Amino acid sequence: EDLQQLILVPLPNVAILGQDPLTEAAVEELRGLLLLLLGCAVQCENKETFIQQIQSLDIETQAAIAICIQQVTQDPRVVLPLQWEELVEAEGADLQLVFSSMVKQIQSMLAQRDTHLERIAELCQEREVHGDSTTAPLGVRNDDPPQSLALQLADSKAKLRRLKQQLEDKGDQILDYKQEIQTMEDQLKKLQKENRSLQSEVRGMRTLRDELDCARERAARTEQLQAELQSCKNRLRSLELTRTQLKCLTQN
């Protein structure tokens, strides 16, 4: 509650630690307990002190502890942060990993619920069958497991309801994100269409510019031809005058 984190892995079974501490199962339960304690230590108010003590160890031990710290603080299959505003900023792949882990946890809790319900039904049936032949103390001891399982079942149902609510909230956020992505895709398509239209206009302008250059070249050529034509006319008039003079001289 202080760290605002939801533990998704099964909690350590202290009964096994107390009854059979030297067994392999007890060692595994102890490892889980130490792992959770380590996660609390490196995230509490005095985390600097614990981190300094870890850094004073040899390199191999530091590396092994670092892997454990990363597992208990960043692996969404182990713990789930309840600060949802941090998850909003996460990438799509990280969100998908979180939701996938939540779905698997819900499925696991449902399987545990069914198992507990079956076990409760079996214990109740055994108590009804052997109720007359057992003593009162034994009856009390037989009542304890079903009560404990009932408490665990109630707690599992409460966790399941919280997870379902959180999953629904995340689903609503995903729908909002999908809507935003769809809007952005529509805007992108519109911009791409405008870009294609502008490119067509640019190609048209280039074609017009080429035609204008050709027209300018033709206009310049026309002026040159008009100048040559005028020169030819002047020379023709000079020739006509010379021919007239020559004709007069010939007649005289």
Side-chain angles (χ1 to χ4, degrees):
E1 293 177 357
D2 293 337
L3 297 178
Q4 289 296 298
Q5 294 177 348
L6 181 63
I7 300 175
L8 300 181
V9 295
L11 295 177
N13 192 335
V14 294
I16 296 179
L17 289 174
Q19 294 174 359
D20 301 311
L22 301 181
T23 60
E24 182 178 353
V27 172
E28 187 64 25
E29 296 296 332
L30 182 59
R31 181 186 182 278
L33 178 60
L34 294 177
L35 188 65
L36 294 177
L37 289 175
L38 179 62
C40 294
V42 297
Q43 298 180 92
C44 67
E45 297 179 354
N46 299 324
K47 60 182 178 181
E48 291 80 5
T49 303
F50 293 105
I51 293 175
Q52 290 177 359
Q53 293 177 356
I54 293 174
Q55 291 176 346
S56 64
L57 302 174
D58 59 272
I59 300 300
E60 293 183 358
T61 305
Q62 290 187 41
I65 293 179
I67 295 175
C68 294
I69 292 175
Q70 185 177 10
Q71 179 184 0
V72 80
T73 58
Q74 299 181 14
D75 191 347
R77 295 170 297 182
V78 178
V79 294
L80 184 66
L82 299 182
Q83 295 90 349
W84 298 110
E85 61 275 5
E86 297 180 2
L87 290 178
V88 172
E89 301 175 358
E91 299 293 335
D94 296 335
L95 286 176
Q96 185 177 2
L97 179 61
V98 171
F99 295 145
S100 176
S101 177
M102 291 176 63
V103 171
K104 290 181 180 179
Q105 289 297 327
I106 292 174
Q107 292 175 344
S108 176
M109 293 178 64
L110 290 175
Q112 293 178 12
R113 181 200 63 182
D114 296 339
T115 302
H116 293 333
L117 289 175
E118 292 177 358
R119 182 55 179 165
I120 290 173
E122 292 176 358
L123 291 173
C124 291
Q125 186 176 5
E126 290 178 1
R127 185 181 62 179
E128 291 177 358
V129 173
H130 303 288
D132 297 336
S133 60
T134 56
T135 61
L138 291 177
V140 173
R141 286 196 297 269
N142 287 335
D143 289 341
D144 290 340
Q147 292 176 358
S148 176
L149 291 175
L151 291 176
Q152 293 180 10
L153 180 60
D155 183 62
S156 299
K157 288 183 177 180
K159 290 181 179 180
L160 180 61
R161 286 194 296 270
R162 289 197 298 269
L163 288 175
K164 284 184 177 180
Q165 183 62 40
Q166 294 170 1
L167 187 60
E168 290 177 359
D169 295 339
K170 293 296 101 181
D172 294 338
Q173 291 184 1
I174 290 177
L175 292 177
D176 295 337
Y177 292 152
K178 287 183 178 180
Q179 185 64 33
E180 293 179 2
I181 291 174
Q182 183 63 37
T183 303
M184 295 178 66
E185 288 180 350
D186 294 339
Q187 293 178 354
L188 179 60
K189 291 179 180 179
K190 182 178 179 181
L191 291 174
Q192 290 176 345
K193 184 178 180 180
E194 293 178 355
N195 186 31
R196 288 193 295 268
S197 178
L198 290 174
Q199 289 179 352
S200 300
E201 293 180 0
V202 169
R203 287 194 295 269
M205 292 178 63
R206 289 177 180 174
T207 303
L208 292 176
R209 185 180 62 185
D210 294 339
E211 293 178 355
L212 180 60
D213 292 338
C214 292
R216 287 177 179 174
E217 292 178 359
R218 292 176 182 175
R221 182 65 178 167
T222 301
E223 292 178 357
Q224 183 180 359
L225 291 175
Q226 287 179 351
E228 292 178 358
L229 179 62
Q230 185 64 35
S231 176
C232 291
K233 287 181 179 180
N234 294 332
R235 290 177 62 186
L236 181 61
R237 283 195 296 268
S238 298
L239 289 174
E240 288 291 338
L241 181 59
T242 301
R243 188 179 65 176
T244 302
Q245 291 176 353
L246 181 60
K247 184 177 181 179
C248 291
L249 292 173
T250 304
Q251 291 178 354
N252 291 332

